[in-house]
Amino acid sequence: MAVSTGETVQYYRHIQNYNIVDKKVTFNPYGLTIEVGEGENLLRAALQAGVHINASCGGEGVCGKCRIILESGELDCPRSGLLTDEDWDLGYRQACQCRILTDVVVRIPPESLLDRRTLTRRRAGIGLRPSPIDIAALQEEGLYNPAFKKRLVNLSPPTLTDNVNDLSRLEAGLAHQHAVESLTLDFFLLRKLARLMREQDFQVTATLDFSRRRFRSPHLTNVEAGDTTRRHYAVAVDIGTTTVWVQLLDLAKGEILGHAADYNSQMSYGDDVITRIVFSQKEQGLQKLQRSVASTINHVLHRLLKRHKLGVEEISHMTVAANTTMTHLFYGLDPKFIRLAPYTPTAGSIPLMRARDLGLEVPDHVFVYSVSSVSSYVGGDIVSGVLASGLYKEPKLTLFIDIGTNGEIVIGNHQWLACAACSAGPAFEGGGIRFGMRATEGAIEEVTVNPDTFEPMLLTIGMVKPKGICGSGLINLLAALMDAGLVLPNGKFRDDLDTPRVRPGDSGREYVLAFAENTQGDQDIVLTEADIDNLMRAKGAMFAGYLTLLESVGLSLQDLEQVILAGAFGNFVNIDNAIAIGLLPDLPRDCYHFVGNASLLGATLLALSREMLAEERRVAEMMTNFELSETPGYMNQYIAALFLPHTQGEYFPSVSERLRAAKG
Amino acid sequence: MAVSTGETVQYYRHIQNYNIVDKKVTFNPYGLTIEVGEGENLLRAALQAGVHINASCGGEGVCGKCRIILESGELDCPRSGLLTDEDWDLGYRQACQCRILTDVVVRIPPESLLDRRTLTRRRAGIGLRPSPIDIAALQEEGLYNPAFKKRLVNLSPPTLTDNVNDLSRLEAGLAHQHAVESLTLDFFLLRKLARLMREQDFQVTATLDFSRRRFRSPHLTNVEAGDTTRRHYAVAVDIGTTTVWVQLLDLAKGEILGHAADYNSQMSYGDDVITRIVFSQKEQGLQKLQRSVASTINHVLHRLLKRHKLGVEEISHMTVAANTTMTHLFYGLDPKFIRLAPYTPTAGSIPLMRARDLGLEVPDHVFVYSVSSVSSYVGGDIVSGVLASGLYKEPKLTLFIDIGTNGEIVIGNHQWLACAACSAGPAFEGGGIRFGMRATEGAIEEVTVNPDTFEPMLLTIGMVKPKGICGSGLINLLAALMDAGLVLPNGKFRDDLDTPRVRPGDSGREYVLAFAENTQGDQDIVLTEADIDNLMRAKGAMFAGYLTLLESVGLSLQDLEQVILAGAFGNFVNIDNAIAIGLLPDLPRDCYHFVGNASLLGATLLALSREMLAEERRVAEMMTNFELSETPGYMNQYIAALFLPHTQGEYFPSVSERLRAAKG
């Protein structure tokens, strides 16, 4: 099929009918245009153009997933109840319902790419996207200094009286022209060296790795014919349990070119690290998981390269950050003992590894550098956060938090770092909560409760009828219920109120967020006392973690000067509400900072900064790991934290004030 | 088929006939016994037992190749003309002609394994086999110090309060128990580390490589469960253009366990380095050659391991020596520019390479260390000779010679080394000589000529009727013809003699070594004046090479203090005769030394001596290469050497004396 990007291509779909195909349809953001006959169905036109729009009802118009935005031109399109007024005014249409009347330009909104949409959704300017790195700022700090450098070498061709081998000729050139002495090199480049040196009459560009600390000299990783010094790229990868992010870096210009993401295809073998470890113990399980994540990286990387019109051979190296289990699975290391007490990973720092040997579709010369992990549950993603936030160089006493199934915490400053993983459980990811769900369409994320009527005001992701509650929604809901006086400090609902919203249920009393007729399902969406118990246990585990780490170094909450929140959760959570339920410490709001996807940030910094690449292991080793279950005082702290916000109210002065204000 | 080693196994070949199978046949050297019926054919019994005996006439008894030696028992065997009296008395029989009468023990002689026999033939105590290395002497010199060491580490199992990762635990153990600090390691061992550490309750044996000069610390290459310090093996390989030798070393005991060899299967793509380089330029040619030599090494290695009952996982590393072309082909490096002026190899020293990545069937942890080469035609085999002979540490001015198609020469001492390749041509391998042949059965190797009758006395390899003349035979023949006064100093036959042995032929006059009726063919075997011309050019190129190298450093032949002969040729050549024809310099015979297969010796020493492994590159760099064609004076020296023994008789005082004595 003849389809091109950014230009018009004739497309004869019904040539046998001599249809006149004179209507142009342009699909943005791809800039892809095809010509179709008048009256053609828009979804069919998209299919013809090879543009994917999710549509799961077969075109009947009932699923509402094939939403596009009409940017110009005319479509014949009935208005269905699946589109709100606001949608309609914004140009949203259901592609399967549209007939093309004139030349049109339509845009495929991210959410019509189904699952992938949640990877890139934004809210209030904060998204799951990687935080932008300010390279100019890095340069000012003297940290923009990629370990990989390209060097142009002009050599004289060999003669009978000067016929030293090609490698020695190149080494001499590097020594004379760039003062690089006694370098080491990777075998594989020898296989192409003779050809490359002769391709541009003995002018070559050498790629040197200045990071390998244990060598006295740089390591020659690649040689290209001619002058390629202006084309030099690196790839940073964050392997999340759920999502894999790949970021493309232009090291010649000092620019971040772009990023792409996709779900980690290991998801089909289990949602979380524990189920993946269990799967890895099956016959061929580890190999399957390893190949699975490699294929996701290949897929995302090649999509990204294509978008930026780069050849894979122009990449000099890859950097990777991930939690300890994902790191083990990516490298094909048996994660068995991560799960079994006493929880020992195979290694903290992984030696250099040829990317190709891990199943990555890149040339021989590409090696993988990964961020070291500290322990089984404080991984390279957290070390990345410490690196990226500069915590290890920070004089202020700082708390670093990444909340997920395992909430990881780091406390310290430039002199010392203590860290731990809190078994918070999956409550903040919607797990163990009756109507908990991931942050996808239909999840209630914003909620307030009228303190007089006890009626809720809900906002869902995608602004559709609610299906359930996501993690940040649960925190907002619990805080709202506290504000409205519906939930007591012990996590129980008041039983003296005359409202249909609070009623007895299977698991204690429950609050009705939405009655069935207003939901996407056929059940009332409720929050039960059992759910609140789970949330209290989760936030209690985190809070007890902060206190225990602080106490183990002789400090207290009062000594904390700032808090850094990392990860998706950190980006979406309402700080006030998280403090209100006792999840985050009660510090002035300007003490809170966000680093977004710290794992990808760390991987990116490794590629941009020789110092980071050389120091990451030292930073990981600087972080003292505490197994909280073995740390004296933790259990007491945990039990004391099973209260809203806490049994010791003095930890949360601003919450008391807030509750007083809410009541007043 | 039930056959076992060293014990009797019932074998029912004709069970349907109820034959009584009560005669035991034992095949040595395998110690393999089977039972057969009385009257069974011995060759068929061998086939049944899986014992290979070459037999190319299908059992008719006319090829004479299936010779075995009867050690005990009775065979019904007709005496054919293919067995001499001496053969018969020694117990030789033709297996295909034998019927088994009683229990018998037979031995398969090496020559019945056809081609392989020439690899291991011996003569006068000198064979093509590797020279024995005297490990005790190495130890006395302080050179027995393998770079690879095994270290037993007893670790305490992890607990919840000490759950550092496995690698850090091992590193700490090595630091405390063996003072090994900040080691580096190979990624692949991590994949098995967790399992291995737990297999013997955290007792492991670490294999450390102390050779990697550029690291400050040893490199951890392998970890095994429990105490394996008494089992530690290495493999040394010599990749010859014709033959591949593999030697197995016991590093725990300090013993050479044994060796095995086979033809380099690249032979099917061409006999010499030039034809192989030509083949490498064809589609997939390089890959085919690379895989071909890898398969030969695999084959020989696994045969050797089986013989010594060793597992391939017990090998810690491999060392390889070869000429520059063979090195390129083994590593899959394009040898194109070795053949084209100005003759530049890709590299002199090859970085460490995982053996598995070269197609060798060994575990991940096995890396290949190879001896550096100096130039396109002075390769790692010659550097090996310099290492093995100790030439680079020798105060005496020494000439090192390896004669083949390219005669390589090295001159120097512990202070300087000069080297060159002489394009001697294939004359000394029988090439370009009308009846020249390789040193296989039927090749005339010893010859004298009666100065009165001009009748020759011949001795062939295998003592059979002659087929042609091998290289060492040609030298002996030429010297004999000089002694007999038949050949003049200009290489022409005297034309004034009345003997049927000297006659005019197609290529000038010729000497008849054997008349057709006494040969295996139907032609007279002769040496022609054109042959003598070729021999003079070959020896002239060598001799001019010595003189040119000496002159280029301001020395002369008189300054030479010793000569070291390497290679197969060096082992078989008669020194006196080689001097007589002007191939070798006229030094007292006790100045001559032999090192045999110097290439294998060098590879072996790399495995046995950390110093050698660390120094081989330095030694190669110490060797200054001369392109003789570009060296002033070489052509004049070459022309002056086209004489028997030389235009300047004073270079060969002992030859003049010998010729006088022969005449007298």
Side-chain angles (χ1 to χ4, degrees), chain A residues 476-615:
Chain A
N476 294 336
L477 173 59
L478 192 52
L481 293 171
M482 289 166 69
D483 281 345
L486 279 173
V487 168
L488 301 171
N490 64 1
K492 302 297 175 197
F493 285 108
R494 273 176 63 183
D495 57 1
D496 56 348
L497 296 171
D498 179 24
T499 165
R501 291 277 170 182
V502 178
R503 67 191 187 192
D506 302 340
S507 312
R509 302 175 72 79
E510 60 192 26
Y511 175 79
V512 184
L513 265 159
F515 289 102
E517 63 267 27
N518 297 322
T519 72
Q520 290 187 34
D522 52 6
Q523 283 184 288
D524 299 345
I525 295 176
V526 300
L527 183 78
T528 69
E529 285 180 348
D531 292 340
I532 297 175
D533 255 17
N534 277 335
L535 288 169
M536 283 203 301
R537 277 200 282 271
K539 72 95 191 173
M542 294 295 298
F543 196 80
Y546 320 145
L547 282 181
T548 306
L549 275 198
L550 284 165
E551 280 180 5
S552 67
V553 291
L555 294 170
S556 70
L557 273 181
Q558 283 75 30
D559 299 306
L560 274 185
E561 292 171 276
Q562 61 178 1
V563 179
I564 296 169
L565 291 176
F569 188 87
N571 269 349
F572 287 100
V573 76
N574 177 308
I575 299 293
D576 286 320
N577 292 342
I579 292 173
I581 70 163
L583 171 61
L584 296 177
D586 193 359
L587 260 62
R589 303 314 175 254
D590 59 3
C591 295
Y592 277 87
H593 306 281
F594 304 89
V595 292
N597 184 338
S599 185
L600 185 60
L601 264 180
T604 302
L605 286 170
L606 251 53
L608 297 179
S609 168
R610 174 180 170 181
E611 286 66 29
M612 296 276 189
L613 196 51
E615 287 228 309

Side-chain angles (χ1 to χ4, degrees), chain B residues 270-548:
Chain B
D271 271 357
D272 54 37
V273 299
I274 297 302
T275 52
R276 300 228 191 127
I277 294 174
V278 170
F279 185 83
S280 76
Q281 300 307 303
K282 297 186 181 178
E283 178 78 16
Q284 293 291 309
L286 179 56
Q287 287 86 336
K288 281 181 191 163
L289 290 166
Q290 201 286 325
R291 278 188 220 124
S292 178
V293 68
S295 83
T296 299
I297 296 172
N298 284 330
H299 171 72
V300 179
L301 172 61
H302 285 274
R303 179 149 51 93
L304 194 54
L305 288 170
K306 197 173 169 191
R307 188 190 303 160
H308 292 277
K309 297 187 173 56
L310 293 183
V312 71
E313 71 285 351
E314 300 190 276
I315 295 170
S316 66
H317 67 304
M318 297 179 79
T319 55
V320 168
N323 66 47
T324 309
T325 301
M326 287 304 114
T327 300
H328 275 57
L329 295 179
F330 170 61
Y331 281 104
L333 301 177
D334 188 355
K336 181 176 179 184
F337 301 101
I338 288 179
R339 180 171 157 252
L340 302 178
Y343 318 116
T344 44
T346 281
S349 295
I350 314 282
L352 276 187
M353 179 69 177
R354 192 182 310 283
R356 208 198 43 190
D357 287 346
L358 294 169
L360 300 185
E361 292 160 359
V362 294
D364 283 332
H365 69 264
V366 177
F367 273 75
V368 176
Y369 296 73
S370 64
V371 181
S372 297
S373 60
V374 177
S375 64
S376 279
Y377 297 101
V378 178
D381 51 347
I382 304 305
V383 175
S384 277
V386 171
L387 276 172
S389 65
L391 175 47
Y392 69 107
K393 294 186 293 190
E394 177 62 56
K396 287 185 186 169
L397 181 64
T398 304
L399 169 63
F400 176 98
I401 311 177
D402 190 339
I403 296 177
T405 302
N406 279 285
E408 293 100 342
I409 55 181
V410 186
I411 290 181
N413 56 28
H414 63 292
Q415 291 175 315
W416 59 273
L417 293 166
C419 61
C422 310
S423 298
F428 295 126
E429 291 173 337
I433 305 294
R434 191 184 297 175
F435 284 89
M437 65 180 284
R438 286 188 175 264
T440 55
E441 193 174 76
I444 295 166
E445 57 175 356
E446 298 281 4
V447 54
T448 55
V449 175
N450 185 310
D452 298 323
T453 64
F454 308 122
E455 286 300 303
M457 186 171 83
L458 310 177
L459 221 56
T460 63
I461 296 176
M463 306 220 265
V464 293
K465 281 189 178 177
K467 279 200 285 196
I469 324 169
C470 66
S472 56
L474 285 165
I475 291 169
N476 294 335
L477 173 59
L478 193 53
L481 293 171
M482 289 167 68
D483 281 345
L486 278 173
V487 168
L488 301 172
N490 64 0
K492 302 298 175 198
F493 285 109
R494 273 176 61 184
D495 56 3
D496 56 349
L497 296 171
D498 179 24
T499 165
R501 291 278 171 182
V502 177
R503 67 190 188 194
D506 302 340
S507 312
R509 301 175 72 79
E510 60 192 27
Y511 175 78
V512 184
L513 264 161
F515 290 102
E517 64 268 26
N518 296 323
T519 72
Q520 289 188 35
D522 52 7
Q523 285 184 286
D524 299 345
I525 294 177
V526 299
L527 183 79
T528 69
E529 285 180 346
D531 292 340
I532 296 176
D533 255 16
N534 277 334
L535 288 169
M536 283 204 299
R537 277 199 282 271
K539 71 95 190 172
M542 295 295 298
F543 196 78
Y546 318 147
L547 283 181
T548 306

Side-chain angles (χ1 to χ4, degrees), chain A residues 182 191 198 214 331 342 344, chain B residues 182 191 198 214 331 344:
Chain A
S182 69
R191 289 211 172 141
R198 286 159 183 83
R214 290 164 190 260
Y331 282 103
T344 45
Chain B
S182 69
R191 288 211 172 140
R198 286 159 182 84
R214 290 163 189 262
Y331 281 104
T344 44

Side-chain angles (χ1 to χ4, degrees), chain B residues 144-153 170 174 177-178 180 192 204-210 218-234 249-253 310-317 365:
Chain B
Y144 181 76
N145 177 21
F148 281 71
K149 315 269 187 213
K150 282 196 171 186
R151 294 282 183 260
L152 180 65
V153 196
L170 175 60
L174 280 164
Q177 294 167 39
H178 299 287
V180 169
K192 56 182 181 177
V204 294
T205 300
T207 307
L208 298 168
D209 173 3
F210 286 84
H219 187 80
L220 179 64
T221 67
N222 198 19
V223 173
E224 293 164 298
D227 183 354
T228 68
T229 51
R230 295 169 55 148
R231 298 187 68 80
H232 185 192
Y233 306 93
L249 312 170
D250 183 334
L251 299 184
K253 296 209 185 97
L310 293 183
V312 71
E313 71 285 351
E314 300 190 276
I315 295 170
S316 66
H317 67 304
H365 69 264

Side-chain angles (χ1 to χ4, degrees), chain A residues 170-181:
Chain A
L170 175 61
E171 286 174 333
L174 280 165
H176 294 144
Q177 295 167 37
H178 299 287
V180 168
E181 298 279 0

